[in-house]
Amino acid sequence: MRRTALPVVLALSALLAGCATAVRGTGDMGVVVERAAGRIQVVETSGMTRLATIDGFGDLSHASVVFARDGRYAYVFGRDGGLTRVDLLNAKVTHRTIQAGNSIGGAITQDGRVVAAQNYEPGGIRLFDAATLEPLADIPAIGPDGRRSKVVGLADLPGKRLAASLFEAGEIWIIDVADPRHPKVTKLPAGKQPYDGLVTPDGRWYLAGLFGEDGLALVDLWQSPPAARHVLSGYGRGSAPLPVYKMPHLRGWAMAQGKAWLPAIGRHEVLIADTANGWQEAGRVEVAGQPVFVMAQPDGRQVWVNFAFPNNETVQVIDTATRKVVRTLKPCRGVLHMEFTPKGEAVWLSCRDDNRVVVYDTTSYEPLATLPADHPSGIFFTSRAQRFGM
């Protein structure tokens, strides 16, 4: 036995050593979407480097990504209806299905077992097993008039539920997926043309922006039964809205200093709502253009804002204590997306028209790194897996 033990031990040690070099955690990993090329980059934020590039995702012109609860798998939703499951550690596609004709995003349930896709064509929500992408249920988005509606603002909620907004139908749906093969839907009137939606970090409130009227629709998810009501209804009263070049994204909103910081559609303003006082307007901040994303650093001290055309080369930083713009940056042409590192020491910006991603220090506002990318758009980090609605 002594003659064979040493070679076995050496072989085992070599194997373990080889495995050790390949093992890493997923907490600092993420995905950059290269929209024109139909591929993604796998990146890591600690060293600010690209780890891999993966092709074969189809139309990523309006792609979004959610993550498995352990951060290993990314689910990529493509504009062409493609739903793709990616193993980030091995940098390969594990499953892919064309589940609709036109899709703009999705969600993953609280327990990480069900992936949901929101679809424009045909309008509706489809549920899939997160491990296999086996279809579980198809929920047609039929409005009160009997016609199909586009689905937007899909978000995961506590209690194995989802929330979504129906654009043409003017409704918010709360969907119980405890039994994902037999989901139960509660339908709430919302207002004219809800265009996006989000859930607060504590999972209590679902908020939908309204394209067809001033204001937002708000649902208290702790209330039973839930009901929708209007808030911030008068923010544009008395003045004509500006042309809307790009719809603002509520999913990139900000919660800071106990307030909600929201993009005002058709305005050069960020709205502030007091969530402890019935979501009443608590102020406005004038900014350089029409906000698209209004995003808070993880500590809530600052809010970063990017803008629609023709101001999409600009990023502004708002100090939430003083409610003033404290820095205006011109990082590149076509800033489409921003994503903070998990604890907010840096922010990544996608520069579509300059074919790069730029990383900025959030204290000094100095650039830290530049990564080449082919017309990048969305940036998504695995830290989203631990937050509702992301």
Side-chain angles (χ1 to χ4, degrees):
M1 291 182 64
R2 289 181 180 179
R3 292 180 180 178
T4 59
L6 184 58
V8 169
V9 170
L10 291 175
L12 181 60
S13 298
L15 177 62
L16 292 174
C19 291
T21 60
V23 171
R24 62 167 298 136
T26 60
D28 70 343
M29 295 179 72
V31 165
V32 175
V33 174
E34 294 184 310
R35 57 183 290 154
R39 64 177 174 240
I40 65 170
Q41 293 187 17
V42 180
V43 298
E44 54 85 26
T45 61
S46 295
M48 296 176 287
T49 63
R50 177 177 60 197
L51 300 176
T53 300
I54 311 172
D55 293 293
F57 291 86
D59 184 352
L60 296 184
S61 58
H62 195 294
S64 64
V65 179
V66 299
F67 296 96
R69 60 188 297 159
D70 63 359
R72 177 169 181 175
Y73 298 100
Y75 299 86
V76 182
F77 302 89
R79 187 72 170 194
D80 56 2
L83 169 57
T84 309
R85 181 178 184 264
V86 182
D87 183 339
L88 297 181
L89 292 179
N90 290 309
K92 67 178 184 180
V93 172
T94 66
H95 301 78
R96 177 170 168 80
T97 181
I98 301 298
Q99 57 84 34
N102 189 337
S103 180
I104 63 159
I108 187 166
T109 54
Q110 182 181 27
D111 59 4
R113 296 180 182 274
V114 179
V115 172
Q118 64 179 17
N119 297 321
Y120 271 12
E121 179 61 41
I125 298 165
R126 288 181 171 162
L127 307 181
F128 299 87
D129 182 280
T132 65
L133 296 193
E134 173 195 357
L136 299 175
D138 184 2
I139 309 170
I142 307 297
D145 60 0
R147 294 186 293 179
R148 289 256 189 175
S149 178
K150 299 181 184 70
V151 178
V152 296
L154 184 65
D156 62 295
L157 308 176
K160 299 181 183 178
R161 296 179 299 165
L162 303 167
S165 295
L166 278 62
F167 183 78
E168 289 86 359
E171 292 184 332
I172 292 172
W173 286 10
I174 310 299
I175 307 163
D176 186 329
V177 293
D179 180 355
R181 294 188 184 275
H182 301 94
K184 300 176 181 178
V185 179
T186 300
K187 303 178 181 182
L188 309 174
K192 295 180 181 179
Q193 298 175 323
Y195 66 86
D196 197 7
L198 59 93
V199 61
T200 55
D202 61 5
R204 176 171 183 176
W205 305 97
Y206 180 80
L207 192 69
L210 300 175
F211 185 71
E213 59 184 292
D214 285 345
L216 304 100
L218 179 71
V219 180
D220 184 348
L221 298 164
W222 290 5
Q223 179 181 334
S224 183
R229 61 185 176 91
H230 281 197
V231 295
L232 301 179
S233 296
Y235 72 78
R237 190 169 296 154
S239 59
L242 299 168
V244 177
Y245 295 106
K246 183 174 177 59
M247 296 291 281
H249 284 261
L250 289 185
R251 191 60 55 92
W253 77 319
M255 277 292 292
Q257 300 287 335
K259 306 290 189 294
W261 302 68
L262 303 162
I265 189 167
R267 313 285 164 186
H268 291 183
E269 295 175 330
V270 171
L271 302 178
I272 308 170
D274 187 345
T275 61
N277 187 30
W279 289 78
Q280 298 293 315
E281 182 178 325
R284 307 183 189 193
V285 180
E286 292 189 13
V287 288
Q290 293 183 32
V292 176
F293 286 100
V294 178
M295 302 181 70
Q297 286 180 226
D299 65 1
R301 179 59 195 270
Q302 293 182 332
V303 168
W304 289 55
V305 187
N306 74 328
F307 302 97
F309 176 85
N311 305 105
N312 58 2
E313 82 293 343
T314 301
V315 173
Q316 290 192 309
V317 184
I318 300 172
D319 182 285
T320 58
T322 63
R323 302 184 182 180
K324 296 183 182 300
V325 174
V326 294
R327 188 63 60 105
T328 297
L329 304 172
K330 303 280 186 178
C332 55
R333 297 178 301 154
V335 181
L336 288 194
H337 201 266
M338 305 177 290
E339 183 82 341
F340 290 100
T341 53
K343 290 193 174 182
E345 76 285 349
V347 61
W348 290 43
L349 308 175
S350 65
C351 303
R352 178 195 59 195
D353 299 337
D354 286 336
N355 292 306
R356 66 177 186 256
V357 170
V358 181
V359 184
Y360 272 79
D361 185 294
T362 54
T363 300
S364 68
Y365 309 111
E366 294 296 325
L368 299 173
T370 299
L371 288 75
D374 188 352
H375 293 84
S377 53
I379 304 173
F380 307 89
F381 294 154
T382 55
S383 53
R384 288 172 170 246
Q386 313 308 323
R387 296 154 59 191
F388 284 115
M390 302 299 286

